[in-house]
Amino acid sequence: MEPLRDLPLGFGMALFENERAAQNFEAMDHIAQQTVLQEARAVRSKNDMRALVRRIGGEADG
């Protein structure tokens, strides 16, 4: 994956705000990253994007 270039803008911004999620995303293998990116591209709201990133960071959603 090309660093940052392949990230949807909202996803990249949300990752920037959540260090643990960014570290977890970086540690994923290519296939897992692509799966997350597909999910991020389908997100249609800021709140849903933040929930996705919290999940990647291992945080409870709520």
Side-chain angles (χ1 to χ4, degrees):
M1 180 176 89
E2 294 288 328
L4 302 180
R5 189 183 77 157
D6 294 331
L7 295 180
L9 182 59
F11 180 68
M13 291 174 63
L15 275 181
F16 182 75
E17 296 174 352
N18 187 320
E19 185 176 348
R20 178 178 285 156
Q23 291 170 349
N24 289 351
F25 181 76
E26 184 178 356
M28 291 177 182
D29 65 33
H30 180 74
I31 293 170
Q33 286 179 344
Q34 291 306 309
T35 300
V36 170
L37 290 174
Q38 286 179 334
E39 190 173 348
R41 288 183 185 104
V43 168
R44 296 291 174 235
S45 76
K46 190 175 188 176
N47 285 338
D48 288 346
M49 186 65 77
R50 287 183 175 161
L52 170 62
V53 170
R54 282 193 305 268
R55 184 170 48 87
I56 293 167
E59 299 173 34
D61 197 25

